[in-house]
Amino acid sequence: MRFLSVLVLIAGAAIGVFYPWAVSNFSGHAIGTWRVYEGGRFRPATVRLAARDAPVRVLVDLTARAERVASQQHTVLTLTAASGGRTALASTLSFNHPDNPRQVSPQLPDRIFRDEAGVIETVTPGAYVFTVGPGDADGIDMRAVDLILRAGTGSVDERAQPAGYTLMGVGLAGLVLSLVFGRGNKPPQNPNSQPPPPRWGRGGSQR
């Protein structure tokens, strides 16, 4: 039962955690990365997209002090993408995901937080202007903000995460039960498995 519970727990983690993360970060191919904040200033990024790029996944990396972002419950950044005077995407970013943050360097207090702004499902060929700005969160000491675009990305099945978390719960419960009840089902020790104690003298019997 313990081995089966561990397998169910691993399967749940793969479906509920690793699968959505892999689809969001590695499916499709990279279009490019643009620095949209540095030195205290935001600047828009203009990117030419083709119809074959669709769907385009929009990701944002925020480099900041970890303690400020990790406890934040408000919007840290906002993002809009527009083409030909029409808004293709509008999103708010909080960066409060469980897989955040990534370490920049062991010697630096800064961390890199990633959030997904959304997906542009249909691309009209032409220039897209991506504008990133501050949200209503206070006290965020931002070092840099990067815009990452990925083309031809897959979509995450909405049933995956609930199913994965359910399997993780079942596997964890089974593992705990196997550990608890396994302690009371130990076979009795064979008295012949240990050598008999010496009768007298220096560790040995004498006649």
Side-chain angles (χ1 to χ4, degrees):
M1 179 179 178
R2 186 179 306 176
F3 179 71
L4 180 60
S5 298
V6 171
L7 289 181
V8 172
L9 182 61
I10 294 174
I15 296 173
V17 179
F18 179 74
Y19 160 68
W21 176 79
V23 170
S24 299
N25 292 277
F26 296 107
S27 64
H29 63 274
I31 298 175
T33 301
W34 293 263
R35 180 62 53 90
V36 293
Y37 175 87
E38 193 173 40
R41 295 181 58 187
F42 287 96
R43 55 176 178 268
T46 301
V47 184
R48 295 197 67 85
L49 299 177
R52 64 177 180 274
D53 293 330
V56 175
R57 190 175 301 276
V58 183
L59 304 168
V60 177
D61 278 356
L62 166 67
T63 304
R65 290 184 178 272
E67 64 273 11
R68 294 290 187 179
V69 180
S71 60
Q72 191 58 245
Q73 300 298 322
H74 299 282
T75 299
V76 178
L77 294 173
T78 62
L79 179 145
T80 59
S83 176
R86 300 180 60 183
T87 300
L89 180 67
S91 179
T92 59
L93 308 170
S94 58
F95 300 94
N96 55 1
H97 300 294
D99 54 344
N100 278 323
R102 309 193 312 271
Q103 192 174 42
V104 179
S105 169
Q107 291 75 32
L108 297 176
D110 297 338
R111 298 291 186 271
I112 299 177
F113 295 80
R114 172 166 289 189
D115 203 352
E116 180 180 330
V119 177
I120 302 176
E121 297 288 351
T122 303
V123 173
T124 301
Y128 281 72
V129 179
F130 294 84
T131 305
V132 178
D136 57 0
D138 296 324
I140 304 298
D141 188 11
M142 291 185 288
R143 307 296 193 196
V145 178
D146 293 313
L147 170 72
I148 302 99
L149 301 181
R150 298 190 64 84
T153 59
S155 59
V156 178
D157 192 329
E158 296 180 355
R159 300 169 296 178
Q161 282 190 312
Y165 292 149
T166 300
L167 287 176
M168 289 173 64
V170 172
L172 184 60
L175 185 61
V176 171
L177 290 175
S178 66
L179 292 174
V180 171
F181 290 102
R183 294 177 181 176
N185 295 328
K186 291 183 178 180
Q189 188 176 8
N190 186 357
N192 297 323
S193 62
Q194 298 292 333
R199 295 181 180 177
W200 60 279
R202 295 186 177 179
S205 60
Q206 296 185 9
R207 296 180 180 177

